[in-house]
């Protein structure tokens, strides 16, 4: 469990505050050092939204570019990780919105592994194939409210606690739990709709 006032992914280097202040002042080399420290976190978080490695790399790079542009708004003394995650998730939201299509996904469009993951989710169990579950989640997550989607991804795909997610999202732990409840219900409805289409098609 993270220490009070800390967030998992925050580094312990005492020189980080100096790097952050230099980056706020426009020092690209200082920001490059921050990129090196938080690159793994960036790929982990973005990878929860996007599956294709090239898309993950592009989105992570875009997130760091946006973060550098936003550095003047960063509050010195605040943890860098949750602030950066908010930027990275907004980048992912934009990319997922661009992928949305007018037509609905049919059950037969799902890979067999995705169908099994959907059935396991409907039964209330944890999907055995996490890759298939993530593929399925990408389809359903695009339909959710962005904040509900963020809470689900950070909690279930990234393994953060409600307190950590609350800090990253800038809300209370209770609000996170409410969003998780609403997001899970919406996910079940999306999966149920896919499964009902199969019954109708049969």
């Amino acid at each position: 469990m993270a220490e009070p006032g800390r967030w998992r992914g925050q580094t312990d280097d005492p020189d980080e505050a100096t790097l952050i202040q230099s980056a706020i002042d426009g020092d690209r080399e200082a920001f490059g050092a921050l990129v090196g420290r938080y690159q793994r976190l960036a790929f982990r978080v973005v990878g929860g939204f996007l599956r294709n490695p090239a898309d993950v790399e592009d989105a992570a790079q875009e997130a760091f570019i946006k973060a550098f542009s936003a550095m003047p708004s960063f509050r010195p003394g605040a943890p860098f990780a949750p602030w950066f995650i908010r930027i990275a998730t907004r980048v992912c939201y934009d990319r997922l919105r661009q992928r949305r299509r007018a037509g609905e996904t049919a059950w037969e469009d799902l890979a067999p592994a995705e169908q099994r993951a959907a059935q396991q989710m409907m039964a209330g169990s944890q999907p055995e194939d996490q890759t298939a579950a993530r593929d399925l989640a990408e389809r359903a997550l695009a339909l959710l409210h962005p904040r509900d989607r963020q809470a689900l991804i950070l909690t279930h795909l990234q393994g953060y606690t409600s307190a950590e997610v609350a800090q990253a999202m800038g809300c209370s732990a209770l609000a996170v739990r409410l969003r998780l409840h609403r997001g899970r219900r919406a996910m079940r409805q999306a999966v149920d709709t896919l499964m009902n289409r199969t019954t109708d098609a049969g």
Side-chain angles (χ1 to χ4, degrees), residues 17 21 35 40 43 53-54 61 90 104 106 139 147 149 156 168-169 175:
Q21 185 58 57
V35 170
R40 176 178 290 184
F43 275 81
Q61 182 176 7
R90 282 197 296 271
E104 294 181 320
R139 299 178 188 272
R147 300 278 282 177
R149 185 163 63 230
H156 292 298
M169 294 180 65

Side-chain angles (χ1 to χ4, degrees), residues 149-194:
R149 185 163 63 230
Q150 182 182 14
L152 281 171
I153 288 175
L154 292 179
T155 300
H156 292 298
L157 294 183
Q158 301 302 323
Y160 293 114
T161 67
S162 294
E164 290 170 331
V165 175
Q167 188 176 4
M169 294 180 65
C171 63
S172 68
L174 175 60
V176 169
R177 289 193 290 270
L178 290 174
R179 290 192 177 280
L180 287 173
H181 175 73
R182 186 166 58 193
R184 291 185 190 113
R185 182 176 60 190
M187 285 283 287
R188 284 195 296 269
Q189 290 172 345
V191 172
D192 190 37
T193 297
L194 287 173

Side-chain angles (χ1 to χ4, degrees), residues 80-93:
F80 185 83
W83 178 82
F84 173 73
I85 281 181
R86 285 193 288 272
I87 293 175
T89 52
R90 282 197 296 271
V91 168
C92 293
Y93 294 162

Side-chain angles (χ1 to χ4, degrees), residues 9-11 13 16 19-20 23 27-44 60-61 64-65 67-68 80 84:
Q10 180 179 346
T11 69
D13 194 324
E16 182 164 297
L19 288 175
I20 289 175
D27 188 330
R28 291 180 179 274
E29 290 188 5
F31 188 77
L34 289 173
V35 170
R37 293 160 188 256
Y38 287 97
Q39 189 170 38
R40 176 178 290 184
L41 175 67
F43 275 81
R44 191 168 69 241
Q61 182 176 7
F64 278 119
I65 291 173
F68 181 72
F80 185 83
F84 173 73

